């Protein structure tokens, strides 16, 4: 039996609708996992955004209330002695309560604060104490104007004039005066020592005035008065002038013009030649050796009034002695001299530094032998001075071969006692004056 057209159209419509429903169901089943994952990711993104907003809110509150931010600072050291026993926690809390007895305003007076409130008071007092300590430390780090105390002035001026070096200069001048032939004149000797000491103080003060920016870079000289600002440059120059003028006047009119001229020459050589040459050439060591050789010559001319062979002999001994002394000292200070910008033999020519030191150690033996030939000492002096001259020559040879700090230190410390002992031996072996009175007048 054939189907009617109406029945056929209804069947077709029902089939199309069912196909659409089946297609939609199938597509929903295929896309449901992707939709779920997408929704889950959106939820995660929203959760992370919420955490970020919460963090930003806390940061904003912290910036508005800085007291909520924990400040970690070093606890100030206790004032009490470390040998005393530490107090217990209960005693510490009692002391804190005694120092800060004010309770919070919200608490009633009849109720005692509990342990939590005590801990809050304790932490607040510790934070305030650390803040005060931090302010004090910041105030201490600021530059402060140094006030010169009158009681500290002698010590500052003594360091400005290099009092130890000045004492060595005066002692070598005295040795030259005592070794000169002729009678010993005490007033002339005192005037010579005083004038030479004042001239040395003036030269050393001017030297420090010129070398302030370079001394500040060296560990050995960074604590000098001008570098630390203990005195003003004007005061240093004034002090140098007040030493130079009377010193040269005493040597010129109190002793003799030749000694005064040598004093002026030595001040000029030290301040205007040796000081700037230290940053230019290694020749400064030889110029500095001449500066150290002039004081015994001044002592000789003060006693005799003339430049004799004995004066040049004493000058030669001081000249040669300074090379093992200074070269050994500068060997251990090479880093300092390099940092300060000084052109020293030990920095730029280390092999030459050791060679020159050994050469002049051996020269001391020859100079000691020449002393009796020039009628300064007897022939006993070369014999009794030979052991110490051989010993310093041996140390100079070890310094030349080893080239280390240990050998340079031994040579330096040997030079400290070698010179006084050598001059003392010369004085004990001084040739007696000839009959008829040899030598010139003490003053001319």
């Amino acid at each position: 039996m054939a189907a009617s057209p109406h029945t056929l159209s209804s069947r077709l419509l029902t089939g199309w609708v069912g196909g659409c429903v089946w297609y939609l169901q199938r597509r929903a089943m295929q896309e449901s996992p992707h939709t779920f994952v997408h929704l889950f990711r959106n939820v995660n993104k929203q959760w992370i955004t919420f955490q970020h907003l919460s963090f930003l809110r806390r940061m904003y509150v912290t910036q508005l209330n800085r007291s909520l931010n924990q400040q970690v600072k070093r606890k100030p050291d206790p004032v009490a002695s470390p040998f005393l026993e530490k107090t217990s926690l209960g005693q510490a809390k009692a002391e804190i309560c005694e120092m800060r007895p004010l309770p919070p305003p919200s608490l009633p007076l009849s109720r005692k604060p509990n342990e939590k409130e005590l801990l809050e008071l304790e932490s607040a007092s510790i934070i305030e104490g650390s803040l005060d300590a931090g302010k004090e430390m910041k105030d201490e780090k600021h530059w402060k104007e140094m006030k010169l105390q009158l009681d500290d002035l002698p010590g500052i001026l003594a360091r400005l004039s290099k009092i130890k070096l000045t004492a060595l200069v005066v002692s070598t001048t005295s040795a030259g005066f005592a070794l000169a032939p002729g009678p010993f004149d005490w007033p002339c000797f005192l005037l010579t020592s005083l004038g030479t000491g004042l001239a040395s103080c003036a030269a050393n003060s001017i030297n420090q005035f010129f070398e302030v920016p370079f001394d500040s870079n060296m560990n050995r000289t960074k604590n000098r008065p001008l570098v630390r600002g203990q005195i003003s440059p004007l005061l240093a120059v004034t002090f140098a002038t007040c030493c130079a003028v009377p010193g040269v006047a005493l040597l010129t009119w109190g002793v003799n013009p030749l000694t005064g001229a040598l004093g002026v020459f030595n001040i000029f050589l030290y301040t205007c030649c040796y000081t700037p040459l230290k940053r230019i050439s290694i020749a400064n060591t030889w110029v500095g050796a001449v500066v150290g050789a002039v004081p015994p010559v001044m002592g000789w001319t003060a006693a005799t009034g003339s430049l004799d062979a004995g004066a040049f002999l004493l000058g030669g001994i001081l000249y040669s002695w300074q090379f093992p002394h200074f070269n050994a000292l500068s060997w251990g200070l090479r880093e300092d001299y390099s940092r300060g910008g000084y052109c020293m033999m030990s920095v730029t020519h280390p092999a030459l530094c050791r060679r020159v030191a050994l050469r002049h150690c051996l020269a001391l033996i020859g100079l000691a032998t020449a002393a009796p030939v020039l009628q300064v000492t007897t022939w006993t002096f070369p014999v009794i001075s030979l052991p110490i001259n051989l010993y310093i020559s041996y140390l100079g040879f070890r310094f030349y071969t080893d080239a280390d700090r240990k050998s340079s230190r031994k040579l330096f410390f040997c030079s400290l006692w070698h010179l006084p002992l050598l001059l003392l031996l010369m004085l004990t072996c001084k040739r007696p004056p000839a009959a008829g009175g040899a030598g010139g007048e003490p003053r001319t």
Side-chain angles (χ1 to χ4, degrees), residues 233-251:
L234 179 61
L235 181 57
V237 174
T238 304
F239 172 73
T241 306
C242 293
C243 289
V245 173
V248 173
L250 285 175
L251 293 175

Side-chain angles (χ1 to χ4, degrees), residues 14-42:
T14 305
W16 182 81
V17 172
C20 291
V21 171
W22 175 82
Y23 175 76
L24 291 174
Q25 289 178 355
R26 182 180 178 183
R27 186 173 180 180
M29 291 298 293
Q30 289 179 353
E31 293 182 358
S32 59
H34 300 285
T35 306
F36 178 75
V37 172
H38 180 69
L39 291 175
F40 181 74
R41 286 179 180 176
N42 291 338

